[in-house]
């Protein structure tokens, strides 16, 4: 049942709009509070009055129509939503959403919401298979959108193939499943997790520095998924181009390995778990020049000194904390990872081979092996980093359950 859930239903223009009427009716009967936003082209197929009658709420179409309440309508709808369902979603709407275009009431409202977006596409089969449309869909999936894939069959245009809107029964079942999983996965409530992410920077002079290729995507995914599952999360991050996840207890930006160590130590006692996904520089310049080092005719030699091994230092003061490490390697993956578990007193380590396509820095996907302190190895196929994050958090829960026994 969907009692007390507010679902905003976005309706775009296509012959499948008539099925959206059934979807709204079914959601309403399950107890949901439904608000419908239509594009102007959708009103060419079904009138707003139909959805207004089915939802028992005003239907919004035009950004500039006379206001019905004293509020900024698209912002209020965006805030109200527990989920945002687009049915049917045209190629045009998917393209606009994937590229951040907000030029009507529906796209503007979607851009303003932080709720889960669930998208049910419907279009001609050649449009659906078009590489540009598929790239847009994949881009939205990487940003966390849930897609209800269309089925194959005879389309209104006479073609046969993929692009037919999924049945109203299955669309509604997907919405129910989302809420069931969301409520079931509040399994980290009461747990305080510190996550490190991104690269560290070691300055040579005011212009130059040493760093690595970490994008921070893995750590940010872990932090975001942990928040969704109810944890209190502190994210300590090097510089990245990523948007800071919403819902964090605290966000701390650092630069050097020393900065990272000091930030962790400051928060350490209050945390139950430390997930160390940051790519930390092992070395730093032995001396820092406060003026730009000028080019000379000869070679320049930079003498490096060893940075503190943060994971090893935490292992020495572990206490009853759970420590999770990462091993990003280019060779001898398992041997190196297992050695790190023992040396750094980790509960488990997430190992990945940087030379494998679809794994490692910059990529939106990863291919990992999780190795626990007993040497047991769990292998996973190529997954989105958001999915890998859930795998890591599931493994964390197993460790916690075993500690409680």
């Amino acid at each position: 049942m969907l009692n007390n859930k507010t679902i905003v239903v976005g309706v775009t223009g296509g012959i499948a709009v008539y099925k959206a009427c059934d979807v709204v009716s079914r959601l309403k009967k399950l107890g949901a509070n439904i608000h419908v936003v239509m594009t102007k082209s959708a009103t060419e197929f079904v009138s707003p009055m139909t959805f207004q009658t089915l939802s028992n709420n005003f239907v919004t179409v035009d950004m500039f129509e006379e206001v019905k309440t004293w509020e900024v309508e698209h912002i209020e709808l965006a805030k109200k939503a527990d989920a945002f369902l687009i049915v049917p979603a045209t190629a045009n709407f998917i393209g606009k959403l994937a590229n951040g275009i907000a030029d009507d009431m529906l796209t503007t409202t979607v851009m303003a919401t932080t709720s889960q977006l669930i998208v049910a596409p419907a279009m001609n089969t050649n449009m659906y298979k078009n590489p540009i449309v598929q790239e847009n869909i994949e881009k939205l999936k990487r940003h966390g959108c849930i897609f209800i894939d269309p089925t194959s069959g005879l389309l209104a245009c006479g073609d046969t193939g993929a692009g037919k809107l999924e049945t109203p029964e299955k669309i509604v079942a997907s919405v129910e499943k989302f809420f069931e999983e969301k409520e079931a996965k509040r399994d980290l409530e009461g747990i305080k997790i510190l996550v490190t992410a991104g690269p560290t920077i070691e300055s040579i002079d005011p212009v130059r520095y040493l760093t690595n290729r970490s994008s921070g995507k893995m750590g940010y995914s872990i932090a975001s998924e942990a928040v969704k599952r109810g944890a209190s999360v502190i994210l300590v991050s090097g510089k990245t181009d990523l948007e800071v996840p919403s819902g964090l207890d605290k966000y701390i930006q650092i630069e050097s390995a020393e900065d990272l160590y000091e930030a962790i130590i400051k928060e350490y006692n209050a945390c139950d778990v430390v997930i160390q996904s940051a790519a930390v520089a092992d070395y730093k310049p032995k001396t820092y020049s406060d003026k730009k080092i000028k080019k000379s005719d000869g070679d320049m030699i930079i003498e490096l000194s060893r940075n503190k091994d943060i994971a090893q230092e935490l292992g020495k003061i572990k206490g009853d904390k759970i420590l999770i490490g990462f091993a990003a390697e280019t060779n001898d993956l398992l041997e190196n990872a297992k050695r790190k578990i023992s040396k750094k007193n980790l509960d488990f380590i997430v190992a990945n081979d940087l030379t494998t396509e679809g794994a490692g820095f910059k990529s939106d996907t990863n291919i990992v092996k999780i190795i626990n302190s007993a040497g047991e190895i769990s292998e996973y196929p190529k997954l989105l980093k958001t999915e890998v994050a859930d795998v890591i958090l599931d493994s964390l829960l197993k460790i916690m359950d075993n500690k409680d026994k």
Side-chain angles (χ1 to χ4, degrees):
M1 298 296 284
L2 299 174
N3 290 331
N4 302 318
K5 302 299 183 188
T6 296
I7 302 172
V8 177
V9 178
V11 183
T12 70
I15 192 62
V17 169
Y18 76 94
K19 292 185 181 179
C21 299
D22 194 5
V23 171
V24 169
S25 177
R26 289 169 182 268
L27 291 172
K28 187 70 178 173
K29 288 174 182 176
L30 289 171
N33 181 26
I34 307 297
H35 293 269
V36 177
V37 183
M38 301 178 73
T39 63
K40 286 186 178 180
S41 58
T43 65
E44 297 294 324
F45 296 89
V46 174
S47 76
M49 182 58 68
T50 302
F51 285 107
Q52 189 166 302
T53 303
L54 292 170
S55 67
N56 296 136
N57 278 315
F58 289 117
V59 172
T60 307
V61 178
D62 191 344
M63 289 184 67
F64 303 106
E65 66 187 357
E66 185 178 349
V67 296
K68 304 176 185 73
T69 57
W70 291 110
E71 58 189 25
V72 181
E73 196 162 11
H74 71 284
I75 299 298
E76 289 305 312
L77 282 174
K79 288 179 178 178
K80 286 176 183 175
D82 294 306
F84 211 122
L85 172 66
I86 310 297
V87 54
T90 60
N92 179 61
F93 172 81
I94 290 169
K96 288 200 291 187
L97 184 60
N99 290 283
I101 296 171
D103 62 354
D104 61 14
M105 191 64 176
L106 179 55
T107 51
T108 302
T109 309
V110 171
M111 291 297 171
T113 193
T114 57
S115 66
Q116 179 63 55
L117 188 63
I118 305 171
V119 181
M123 65 196 75
N124 169 271
T125 187
N126 291 328
M127 293 176 71
Y128 181 66
K129 292 178 180 178
N130 187 295
I132 296 172
V133 173
Q134 289 301 312
E135 284 175 14
N136 287 334
I137 289 172
E138 288 304 313
K139 183 177 180 180
L140 291 172
K141 284 181 178 178
R142 291 196 299 271
H143 285 286
C145 295
I146 296 171
F147 273 78
I148 303 172
D149 294 333
T151 62
S152 293
L154 179 64
L155 305 176
C157 61
D159 290 345
T160 299
K164 188 180 181 71
L165 185 70
E166 185 55 277
T167 64
E169 296 94 327
K170 290 186 178 179
I171 291 172
V172 171
S174 295
V175 174
E176 288 186 287
K177 181 183 177 184
F178 160 70
F179 281 110
E180 287 169 3
E181 290 181 350
K182 182 180 179 181
E183 290 170 9
K185 277 215 164 181
R186 299 290 292 179
D187 49 10
L188 293 175
E189 286 186 342
I191 300 170
K192 192 154 192 174
I193 301 176
L194 188 151
V195 181
T196 69
T200 59
I201 289 174
E202 306 298 337
S203 294
I204 299 169
D205 62 22
V207 177
R208 305 175 183 91
Y209 56 80
L210 303 176
T211 190
N212 56 64
R213 299 181 188 275
S214 173
S215 65
K217 288 180 179 179
M218 191 68 255
Y220 277 57
S221 294
I222 294 168
S224 180
E225 295 305 309
V227 168
K228 290 177 185 176
R229 292 173 67 162
S232 298
V233 180
I234 298 171
L235 177 59
V236 183
S237 174
K239 290 184 178 179
T240 77
D241 295 326
L242 303 175
E243 183 178 343
V244 177
S246 60
L248 297 174
D249 270 21
K250 190 180 291 186
Y251 175 76
I252 304 169
Q253 187 171 75
I254 55 88
E255 185 167 286
S256 68
E258 185 63 31
D259 294 339
L260 178 62
Y261 176 73
E262 289 176 2
I264 294 173
I265 292 300
K266 186 175 180 180
E267 305 293 337
Y268 188 74
N269 288 337
C271 294
D272 304 301
V273 181
V274 181
I275 302 178
Q276 304 169 75
S277 64
V280 185
D282 293 326
Y283 295 91
K284 63 182 177 182
K286 195 165 189 178
T287 59
Y288 170 76
S289 172
D290 59 3
K291 295 182 176 59
K292 180 183 175 182
I293 300 171
K294 303 305 289 182
K295 180 169 59 177
S296 65
D297 292 335
D299 295 335
M300 181 172 72
I301 297 173
I302 300 175
E303 192 174 357
L304 302 178
S305 61
R306 187 77 165 84
N307 267 328
K308 194 182 270 102
D309 188 324
I310 297 175
Q312 189 170 340
E313 293 300 313
L314 295 183
K316 293 176 184 176
I317 59 169
K318 181 176 181 178
D320 59 356
K321 313 291 185 195
I322 293 176
L323 301 181
I324 299 168
F326 277 70
E329 304 289 347
T330 58
N331 59 280
D332 302 324
L333 177 65
L334 293 179
E335 293 84 350
N336 287 327
K338 287 179 178 178
R339 187 161 51 247
K340 286 182 179 179
I341 294 174
S342 173
K343 184 178 179 182
K344 301 171 194 285
N345 197 14
L346 301 173
D347 289 275
F348 68 84
I349 197 163
V350 183
N352 66 295
D353 185 342
L354 296 177
T355 65
T356 303
E357 185 178 353
F361 298 145
K362 306 294 183 184
S363 173
D364 291 315
T365 60
N366 211 345
I367 304 168
V368 303
K369 296 176 174 65
I370 290 182
I371 309 167
N372 66 20
S373 56
E376 298 167 333
I377 302 172
S378 299
E379 298 190 30
Y380 299 89
K382 183 166 73 173
L383 300 169
L384 291 172
K385 284 184 174 174
T386 52
E387 295 172 319
V388 175
D390 266 330
V391 165
I392 293 167
L393 296 173
D394 289 342
S395 300
L396 164 63
L397 282 173
K398 289 179 184 176
I399 296 288
M400 298 186 76
D401 288 343
N402 289 336
K403 283 196 171 190
D404 290 339
K405 290 178 181 177

